[in-house]
Amino acid sequence: MKNISSLKGLIFGVLFSFVTALLFMLIGQTLAGGITLFRGESWLYFSVIIPFAITFSVLGGYFHNKNEISNKKLWLLSLLSAFLVALYSGTIGAIFGETIVRGGMKTINVEGTLIWGTIYAFILLPITTPFARLLIGILHKIIRR
C-alpha cells in the first residue's frame, strides 16, 4: 500500500509540475508586459518535472500511515520542499532543460545559472512555501482517502 501512496504522489507531482510551470510562465509573462506564448518556454517544464515527481513521491510514501500531521510539521515540510524544488529547478534543472531544448550547452551561462538559481531559491521562499503548503495539503488529503 505504501507503493500506491508513492505512486499517487508521483502522478500528483508530474501533473502539478506542468500546472505550476504554466502558472509561473503566465504570471511572469504578464508582469513582463504581456503574454506572448501561452504555453511558455519548454525548458521550464523540463526543469521542474524531476524535482516535483521525486518530492511528491517521497511525501506520498511519508503520508501513507500518517492520518494526522500537525500544521507546524506540514509548514516545515513545505518550507523544505519549496526550497529544494526551487533550488534544483533553478540550477541543475534549468541547465538540463536548456540543454535539452537548445541541443547543447554552448549558449548556457552555467556559473550564472548556479549562482542566481540559488539566490532565487532563497528569495522566493515567501512565495514558494505557501504554494508548496497548498499542494502538500491537497496531496495529504488524497493519500488519506
Side-chain angles (χ1 to χ4, degrees), residues 35-96:
I35 297 172
T36 57
L37 184 61
F38 179 72
R39 68 171 176 77
E41 292 286 333
S42 300
W43 68 266
L44 184 60
Y45 297 98
F46 287 114
S47 74
V48 297
I49 193 166
I50 292 171
F52 266 72
I54 292 171
T55 299
F56 285 104
S57 179
V58 169
L59 287 172
Y62 176 74
F63 291 151
H64 173 66
N65 286 330
K66 307 236 189 262
N67 288 330
E68 292 301 320
I69 298 177
S70 71
N71 194 36
K72 182 179 178 180
K73 186 170 266 191
L74 285 172
W75 276 104
L76 186 60
L77 286 170
S78 300
L79 177 69
L80 182 63
S81 297
F83 176 71
L84 292 176
V85 167
L87 182 64
Y88 180 89
S89 63
T91 56
I92 298 166
I95 293 168
F96 284 154

